[in-house]
Amino acid sequence: YFAALYAEHKRGPAAIEPILRQFRAWTLDVSDQGPISLGYRLGQMKGDRRIFRALVYNKGGIVLHMLRRFVGDQAFFDGLRRFYADWRYRKAGTDDLRIAMESTSGRNLERFFERWIYNATLPSATLATRVENGPNGPRLAIRVEQKQQEVFDFPLTLTLSYSDRPAATVTIPISDRVTETTVPLAGTLRD
């Protein structure tokens, strides 16, 4: 993931998107083989090292990127700096990273880490949107409903394509079974 971050830093935000799409493609087929927390043990029963790579490196990278989008760039990078400062030259674990991220984001991230690192289940959700007139102009009403029994924390990034201006992205943190919010629109929404 840090190699992908370097590409993003050197070439701009568009550079990381194809890398993350590839990570996702490699991960989806084997995600049910176990949680990231199993580490090197993943794939040993089947003698398939690709499972380890897909889950630890690729899904791990996706989870780090989701964490970044969920807490925001400032909290994420501050959390990494804190983690490095606190654990430099010492053995650290996943909970130590979680604590560093919680301290900089001000959020309880236990459920995020539990679902994405220690669990192999993936969430399922429905998205419904509608354009409505708000007191300050048009806005997009968004409703996200999680379908599985366990509630996941994740960032939902939507690209708003306008008819009369460049597209824009918005990221909505999802932390409840049902999340409803509105986003102001900057123009005529096409998609």
Side-chain angles (χ1 to χ4, degrees):
Y1 178 66
F2 286 86
L5 285 179
Y6 182 75
E8 179 187 41
H9 174 73
K10 290 305 259 187
R11 297 187 184 137
I16 199 169
E17 293 307 319
I19 296 168
L20 293 172
R21 276 194 297 276
Q22 190 63 49
F23 282 1
R24 183 179 181 272
W26 290 336
T27 299
L28 282 177
D29 293 340
V30 296
S31 195
D32 63 346
Q33 298 297 307
I36 294 170
S37 61
L38 287 179
Y40 71 90
R41 295 168 288 195
L42 289 163
Q44 283 191 347
M45 295 285 286
K46 293 186 177 182
D48 188 350
R49 289 187 207 142
R50 292 175 300 170
I51 295 171
F52 165 78
R53 181 171 174 80
L55 293 177
V56 172
Y57 288 102
N58 299 329
K59 186 177 180 182
I62 292 168
V63 169
L64 282 171
H65 194 68
M66 284 192 309
L67 179 62
R68 175 185 171 189
R69 290 182 10 235
F70 190 69
V71 301
D73 278 0
Q74 186 70 47
F76 180 77
F77 290 109
D78 286 351
L80 287 178
R81 286 182 197 92
R82 170 168 260 172
F83 177 71
Y84 288 146
D86 290 350
W87 293 97
R88 189 176 189 173
Y89 305 118
R90 298 186 308 156
K91 184 178 179 181
T94 303
D95 285 337
D96 302 314
L97 176 64
R98 178 184 53 81
I99 290 166
M101 291 294 172
E102 286 177 342
S103 72
T104 58
S105 70
R107 290 179 179 235
N108 180 336
L109 297 170
E110 190 170 344
R111 184 170 63 187
F112 181 93
F113 277 75
E114 179 62 35
R115 300 290 190 265
W116 293 107
I117 304 295
Y118 298 108
N119 202 331
T121 307
L122 295 176
S124 174
T126 59
L127 170 69
T129 61
R130 72 179 183 286
V131 175
E132 56 187 33
N133 289 318
N136 299 320
R139 62 187 184 184
L140 184 65
I142 302 163
R143 184 177 197 279
V144 178
E145 182 176 353
Q146 296 192 48
K147 296 298 184 186
Q148 68 285 341
Q149 185 172 349
E150 296 177 318
V151 172
F152 278 71
D153 296 320
F154 62 93
L156 174 66
T157 300
L158 300 175
T159 300
L160 306 176
S161 298
Y162 292 104
S163 299
D164 53 351
R165 65 190 67 233
T169 60
V170 295
T171 300
I172 302 160
I174 305 297
S175 297
D176 296 309
R177 179 154 317 281
V178 175
T179 300
E180 294 182 328
T181 190
T182 59
V183 174
L185 295 173
T188 304
L189 189 65
R190 187 181 63 213
D191 188 29

